Amino acid sequence: MKRILTLFLMIGLLYCLPGCGLKNPEVVSTKPETIETAAPDTYPEAPDSTEPPTDYQLPLIAVSAPPMEEVFTDANGTVLLCYTYQDLRLTLKDPVTADAISLDFLNLLDPMGAACEEILQSAKLESQNATNWSPYRFSKFFTPMRLDNGILSMYGVQILSDSTGKASSTGISLTYDLLTGQRLTLAQILREGIAIDALDQAVIDSLSSAATEGILYDDYAQTISSLFSSNSLVENWYLSENGLCFFFDPYEIAPYSAGTVIAEIPYSALTRVLKEAYFPEETVVLTGFITMEAFAGMEAD
């Protein structure tokens, strides 16, 4: 069985989704460990294919490759907006929970949702007066930062390019409880009596080296404190293999040249802050997407 599990972990890493345009964000505080794939000659031999997949206890995640695409046109057939996004499929012990998470994920990326509608309206107005029109392009892509038997936490980026090709990007994240299928907020993973604004100093401290190097704005601490005020809904977070991470887009606490700034609070510093259920298991089983094709092959074995 260990050989079987090892094979699937290697397949997951070998077939990670290519070409999505999403790279790991630049970490200026603490850098998480990288996961190295084994050389081809060290792959384990193939297991007996007669063993049923129901024996597998590890969660797996797959996305469409190539990604999904929706093209919006006006009454004359002019392309106004191209929207690309992922379809996601999970395999868990409880298939009902897996389906619920996949459906919630797809609903959030719905091309008929409010985010796309707003962009589409802007594209319509601009195209009517444009002599050399190029369609808007909008994309959303996620990468799992932690996946074990209890948590799926993903960091992603949404990129919008206008008709001139000028692009802007924004970080996005999603975290799910794999036992309940619930999408989690930051308040839900904290212990009773712990307020969100109690985390601001830990975030500020984790970025002290970046501040010393002059990477951050002089008022970065005040900006972080205001973002973590009790009246704010903090959504710029995810759980990694190593800790609780908060990300800040360019110009929030640092200039564009600094890229996305990430503050990582290690789990060792969260023993009195984080609920016990949300600490990681000893082994994080997978930190990459596999393709739908590879996923379907696993189910068929």
Side-chain angles (χ1 to χ4, degrees), residues 24-301:
N24 287 335
E26 179 183 356
V27 179
V28 300
S29 52
T30 56
K31 296 184 178 179
E33 298 178 359
T34 57
I35 295 182
E36 299 179 356
T37 57
D41 60 354
T42 63
Y43 290 165
E45 61 186 58
D48 185 353
S49 61
T50 60
E51 294 190 36
T54 53
D55 286 347
Y56 304 145
Q57 299 300 311
L58 300 178
L60 292 174
I61 184 171
V63 296
S64 52
M68 310 280 283
E69 182 176 72
E70 295 286 344
V71 177
F72 299 87
T73 61
D74 63 13
N76 299 319
T78 300
V79 177
L80 300 174
L81 171 65
C82 297
Y83 174 46
T84 54
Y85 60 101
Q86 295 159 317
D87 187 11
L88 175 145
R89 191 184 305 172
L90 283 171
T91 178
L92 303 173
K93 295 178 183 179
D94 181 0
V96 175
T97 300
D99 289 344
I101 292 173
S102 297
L103 181 60
D104 182 75
F105 179 85
L106 197 56
N107 285 338
L108 289 170
L109 274 64
D110 183 6
M112 303 308 294
C116 272
E117 181 61 28
E118 183 177 348
I119 295 170
L120 183 58
Q121 292 305 317
S122 296
K124 282 181 180 179
L125 291 174
E126 187 175 336
S127 67
Q128 293 172 359
N129 301 316
T131 53
N132 295 314
W133 170 251
S134 294
Y136 279 34
R137 297 187 179 277
F138 186 46
S139 61
K140 290 185 180 182
F141 293 109
F142 289 88
T143 288
M145 306 308 290
R146 175 180 154 191
L147 175 60
D148 54 34
N149 286 323
I151 288 291
L152 167 61
S153 193
M154 297 182 286
Y155 171 82
V157 62
Q158 57 183 19
I159 303 173
L160 174 63
S161 298
D162 62 17
S163 61
T164 67
K166 182 180 179 181
S168 60
S169 63
T170 306
I172 46 179
S173 61
L174 289 170
T175 298
Y176 291 99
D177 186 322
L178 295 186
L179 300 180
T180 65
Q182 182 180 24
R183 185 167 12 120
L184 297 170
T185 65
L186 181 58
Q188 288 172 320
I189 69 172
L190 301 181
R191 291 182 180 271
E192 296 294 331
I194 300 296
I196 292 175
D197 59 351
L199 293 171
D200 65 342
Q201 191 58 51
V203 173
I204 292 169
D205 291 344
S206 72
L207 295 174
S208 59
S209 60
T212 301
E213 295 171 9
I215 295 174
L216 309 181
Y217 292 144
D218 292 340
D219 63 348
Y220 83 97
Q222 293 93 319
T223 301
I224 290 174
S225 293
S226 65
L227 291 172
F228 278 75
S229 66
S230 298
N231 296 324
S232 299
L233 179 61
V234 178
E235 297 181 327
N236 60 323
W237 67 277
Y238 61 83
L239 293 168
S240 72
E241 300 174 28
N242 303 309
L244 174 60
C245 298
F246 295 91
F247 57 91
F248 302 92
D249 291 326
Y251 299 119
E252 281 195 288
I253 62 172
Y256 182 84
S257 58
T260 299
V261 177
I262 296 181
E264 184 174 74
I265 306 173
Y267 288 115
S268 59
L270 296 170
T271 54
R272 297 183 180 181
V273 175
L274 199 64
K275 289 179 180 176
E276 185 175 352
Y278 300 121
F279 282 91
E281 300 175 7
E282 290 186 2
T283 303
V284 174
V285 301
L286 184 63
T287 56
F289 285 135
I290 62 174
T291 63
M292 288 295 191
E293 292 79 1
F295 187 91
M298 293 179 183
E299 291 183 318
D301 287 340

